[in-house]
Amino acid sequence: VVQVVNTTYSEVQTGSATVPNDDTIPTSSEGNDFGNNLDTIITPKSATNKLIIELNLIVSSSNGDLTMTTSLYKDAYVAAIAAVNQRTPPAVALPMEAVLRHYMTAPSTSAITFKMRAGTDGASTVTLNGVNSARKMGGVMASSMTITEIRAS
């Protein structure tokens, strides 16, 4: 391991922007921009090293049985470089963990900002780090982004 960079965010945020559940790459105009608090910057030590980006979001939806999409963006890219989706629980008062892991070669030794967005495919208020727009667990329920740079073999 060459370096590890982490951003953790425990405050509650909400949004209602949607992400279609289709065969298109999510874009930076879809979903909720919770990422401004989880934006994580890394300056790779070598352009041949590998980066492992791990995103762990605690999210909930005000409407159940929807598809929640979490997407990862690099710098000012419009198209996501990775995305995952999963069904929200039928019971709306349940938070879920959205996990996204992405592996890539460092493109350069310049600073890179990784960002995320999340949203459902239908009308809903998405809550980050809580349920129904309210905090749970006294603020220790947190979302995070961790980037690990590993030496190329």
Side-chain angles (χ1 to χ4, degrees):
V1 173
V2 176
Q3 65 173 315
V4 177
V5 180
N6 173 270
T7 302
T8 299
Y9 183 71
S10 62
E11 297 299 316
V12 171
Q13 281 191 326
T14 62
S16 58
T18 60
V19 180
N21 183 20
D22 59 16
D23 191 30
T24 60
I25 296 172
T27 67
S28 59
S29 64
E30 297 171 335
N32 300 289
D33 185 12
F34 299 132
N36 58 345
N37 293 299
L38 284 169
D39 287 0
T40 304
I41 300 170
I42 189 167
T43 304
K45 304 294 184 191
S46 168
T48 61
N49 285 347
K50 305 300 181 188
L51 302 177
I52 302 168
I53 302 101
E54 298 174 285
L55 181 59
N56 291 73
L57 293 182
I58 307 299
V59 289
S60 64
S61 169
S62 64
N63 291 324
D65 205 28
L66 296 171
T67 299
M68 177 78 68
T69 299
T70 302
S71 48
L72 177 69
Y73 300 85
K74 178 185 159 299
D75 294 322
Y77 282 22
V78 172
I81 61 170
V84 297
N85 63 20
Q86 65 194 82
R87 293 301 282 181
T88 61
V92 297
L94 297 172
M96 58 190 245
E97 181 180 24
V99 177
L100 185 153
R101 289 183 182 85
H102 182 66
Y103 180 83
M104 63 182 281
T105 301
S108 71
T109 55
S110 298
I112 305 165
T113 302
F114 289 96
K115 307 170 183 188
M116 59 72 51
R117 296 181 78 89
T120 57
D121 63 340
S124 170
T125 297
V126 175
T127 301
L128 178 71
N129 298 327
V131 174
N132 292 331
S133 304
R135 185 177 80 173
K136 295 289 184 185
M137 299 187 183
V140 297
M141 184 165 58
S143 296
S144 67
M145 186 184 302
T146 303
I147 304 169
T148 304
E149 180 180 1
I150 56 175
R151 198 167 317 283
S153 49

